[in-house]
């Protein structure tokens, strides 16, 4: 018995790069594909909002002297690359698997357009749906679009995969000694504490529509299945919850 039946996985581009800062890591991508297949095989309907940070993020526009909106277009195409890479990896592992890439920006040769009811229909048939190009609008990352699509397709939760971090910490665990992992965070605390794990706009939209967000380590095997089975993995941000810390002993392994 699963607590969720339809989820949006927010997969940051970093998860495609493995331990590298940039680009693609074949083993990491194969592992991600395997985790998504395991989730779908458990009967959970899976849509994936794919990021592009392993290639380009719009917010570095200033450093590059590029117009911000142009930079966001570049970022969006990075998410398309990752989406096609993920579809390729899913099909390589399981050629019979039905996978649909739905792009917010027309890409007729590679991807379907995002049409809400069609996405829901695909999911109902057990197809894996990959959302490319966020919502097709500049000035946001893929965080807000992940929440928006979750609302649009009636998903019950967002599973936010982060590379190399177990969840949300009280401080940067690599910089601060004594940083503690949150078990749960109330939306308003995520907003008032300006937690950087997702954009504030994404928290606000999730709060207004009561969409729970689970932040977990993309390197952790079975993390998404465990979350859907109700096990305490990573950090839960959601409705009707108070902000709590994990036991420091358990923090390293959960
Ligand atoms: N982006 C955008 N509109 C969207 C989604 C993404 O402009 O609806 C651009 C934005 O520049 C963003 C980039 O695509 O920085 C890559 O996405 P993101 O930063 O979310 O990647 P992640 O950090 O998740 O790897």
């Amino acid at each position: 018995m699963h607590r969720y039946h339809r989820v949006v996985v927010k997969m940051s581009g970093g998860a495609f790069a493995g331990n590298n800062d940039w680009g693609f890591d074949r083993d990491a991508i194969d592992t991600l594909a395997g985790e998504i297949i395991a989730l779908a095989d458990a009967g959970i309907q899976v849509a994936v909002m794919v990021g592009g940070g392993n290639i380009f993020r719009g917010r570095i526009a200033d450093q590059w002297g590029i117009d911000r909106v142009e930079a966001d277009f570049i970022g969006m195409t990075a998410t398309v690359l990752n989406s096609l890479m993920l579809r390729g990896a899913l099909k390589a592992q399981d050629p019979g698997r039905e996978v649909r890439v739905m792009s917010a920006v027309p890409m007729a040769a590679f991807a379907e357009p995002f049409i809400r009811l069609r996405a829901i229909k695909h999911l109902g048939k057990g197809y894996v749906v990959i959302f490319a190009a966020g919502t097709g609008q500049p000035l946001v990352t893929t965080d807000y679009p992940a929440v928006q699509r979750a609302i649009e397709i009636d998903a019950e939760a967002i599973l936010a995969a982060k590379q190399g971090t177990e969840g949300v910490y009280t401080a940067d665990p690599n910089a601060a000694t004594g940083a503690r992992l949150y078990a749960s965070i109330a939306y308003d605390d995520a907003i008032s504490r300006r937690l950087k794990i997702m954009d504030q706009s994404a928290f606000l939209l999730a709060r207004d529509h009561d969409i729970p967000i689970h932040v977990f380590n993309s390197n952790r095997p079975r993390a998404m299945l465990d979350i859907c089975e109700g096990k305490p993995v990573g950090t839960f941000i959601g409705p009707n919850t108070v902000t709590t810390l994990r036991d420091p002993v358990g923090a390293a392994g959960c």
Side-chain angles (χ1 to χ4, degrees), residues 10 12-13 51-53 56-58 72 75-76 133-138 140-142 145:
K10 161 67 217 284
S12 291
F56 199 82
R57 287 194 183 95
D72 283 333
M76 278 186 247
T135 50
Q137 301 296 322
V140 289
T141 74
T142 49

Side-chain angles (χ1 to χ4, degrees), residues 235-253:
T235 301
F236 172 78
I237 304 164
N240 309 317
T241 192
V242 290
T243 300
T244 55
L245 294 168
R246 273 204 201 291
D247 176 352
V249 180

Side-chain angles (χ1 to χ4, degrees), residues 190-228:
I191 294 161
S192 66
R193 294 177 194 189
R194 298 189 171 277
L195 298 177
K196 297 236 181 318
I197 204 86
M198 282 182 99
D199 293 346
Q200 293 276 301
S201 58
F203 287 138
L204 286 165
L205 190 64
R207 181 192 67 183
D208 289 350
H209 294 268
D210 283 348
I211 300 279
I213 302 169
H214 294 262
V215 181
F216 68 97
N217 188 345
S218 58
N219 291 338
R220 186 189 190 282
R222 273 188 57 95
M224 294 190 289
L225 260 182
D226 284 348
I227 290 168
C228 289

Side-chain angles (χ1 to χ4, degrees), residues 156-210:
E156 297 155 292
I158 292 168
L159 312 184
K162 296 286 169 183
Q163 169 70 13
T165 180
E166 296 298 327
V168 187
Y169 285 83
T170 51
D172 180 351
N174 299 317
T177 49
R180 297 275 304 273
L181 181 65
Y182 287 107
S184 61
I185 309 176
Y187 292 121
D188 285 332
D189 286 338
I191 294 161
S192 66
R193 294 177 194 189
R194 298 189 171 277
L195 298 177
K196 297 236 181 318
I197 204 86
M198 282 182 99
D199 293 346
Q200 293 276 301
S201 58
F203 287 138
L204 286 165
L205 190 64
R207 181 192 67 183
D208 289 350
H209 294 268
D210 283 348

